[in-house]
Amino acid sequence: MKPETSDAHILMSMTYASRANPNVSAKDFNEILKQAQVNNAANGITGMLTFNKDYFLQTIEGPRAQINRLLYSLIADERHYDLQVIETRELTHRVWSEWSMNYATPTEKNAAIYLKYSTTIDFNPYLLSAQSANDLMDELSSKHN
Ligand SMILES: Cc1cc2nc3c(=O)[nH]c(=O)nc-3n(C[C@H](O)[C@H](O)[C@H](O)COP(=O)(O)O)c2cc1C
């Protein structure tokens, strides 16, 4: 059956945390990022991805049907596991409209930002509230660079 696409005017955002599989390297991260940017540009999705230690934290935003379709792919993707949704919400405006997928890596400058949002010794996105996850992504983003 043809997938339902008639709700393209309804925008939503989803933020999740996951853990990279042990065999995923920095090179794999670059590939994930490139794949995300190419696909998202074609699918009307924008967002922000960060990784630190072996954790991913990502926000994807776009037409509801596309976000749900991507969620199925993400859950099936063996490069990471234990995907936990932190927040879903409807949007009137995109937060990451200028980026098919913005990203932040654990640079020295970013280390202090991750630490600011950590309640434990190490950064752990599973412990973040939705508000903190949004604030962290905002601070890490090149919006401030
Ligand atoms: C942490 C992580 C983030 C990802 N982000 C995206 C994304 O934003 N957009 C996307 O299309 N695929 C993303 N992917 C890849 C998808 O899981 C999936 O492999 C891809 O969408 C499959 O599409 P393709 O085979 O047509 O390239 C991500 C994968 C991982 C592990």
Side-chain angles (χ1 to χ4, degrees), residues 4-11 63-66:
E4 189 54 65
T5 52
S6 59
D7 64 351
H9 61 292
I10 299 175
L11 281 179
R64 189 166 66 194
Q66 300 285 3

Side-chain angles (χ1 to χ4, degrees), residues 15 59 87 89 96 129-139:
T15 298
T59 295
E87 183 188 36
R89 65 190 163 110
W96 303 101
S129 66
Q131 184 65 56
S132 298
N134 288 328
D135 291 348
L136 169 63
M137 301 276 235
D138 184 64
E139 265 195 64

Side-chain angles (χ1 to χ4, degrees), residues 82-106:
D82 197 14
L83 186 156
Q84 291 188 22
V85 174
I86 293 175
E87 183 188 36
T88 59
R89 65 190 163 110
E90 235 172 66
L91 297 176
T92 45
H93 302 286
R94 291 176 192 251
V95 174
W96 303 101
S97 58
E98 291 164 48
W99 296 275
S100 57
M101 190 48 59
N102 199 346
Y103 71 99
T105 54

Side-chain angles (χ1 to χ4, degrees), residues 16 32 35-36 39-40 56 58 60 70 73-74 77 79-80 101:
Y16 73 85
I32 290 168
Q35 183 185 29
N39 287 356
N40 292 353
F56 290 112
Q58 187 178 31
I60 50 175
L70 178 52
S73 296
L74 288 167
D77 195 320
R79 292 172 290 185
H80 65 169
M101 190 48 59

Side-chain angles (χ1 to χ4, degrees), residues 12-86:
M12 73 170 283
S13 156
M14 187 192 77
T15 298
Y16 73 85
S18 66
R19 293 194 83 160
N21 267 323
N23 59 348
V24 170
S25 65
K27 181 173 151 278
D28 296 311
F29 177 75
N30 289 335
E31 271 167 26
I32 290 168
L33 186 64
K34 208 186 319 153
Q35 183 185 29
Q37 288 172 334
V38 170
N39 287 356
N40 292 353
N43 296 331
I45 292 175
T46 49
M48 168 78 182
L49 172 66
T50 183
F51 86 98
N52 191 359
K53 307 277 173 195
D54 56 349
Y55 296 108
F56 290 112
L57 177 66
Q58 187 178 31
T59 295
I60 50 175
E61 56 185 22
R64 189 166 66 194
Q66 300 285 3
I67 295 301
N68 276 279
R69 230 165 273 143
L70 178 52
L71 178 58
Y72 282 106
S73 296
L74 288 167
I75 291 170
D77 195 320
E78 290 183 352
R79 292 172 290 185
H80 65 169
Y81 64 100
D82 197 14
L83 186 156
Q84 291 188 22
V85 174
I86 293 175

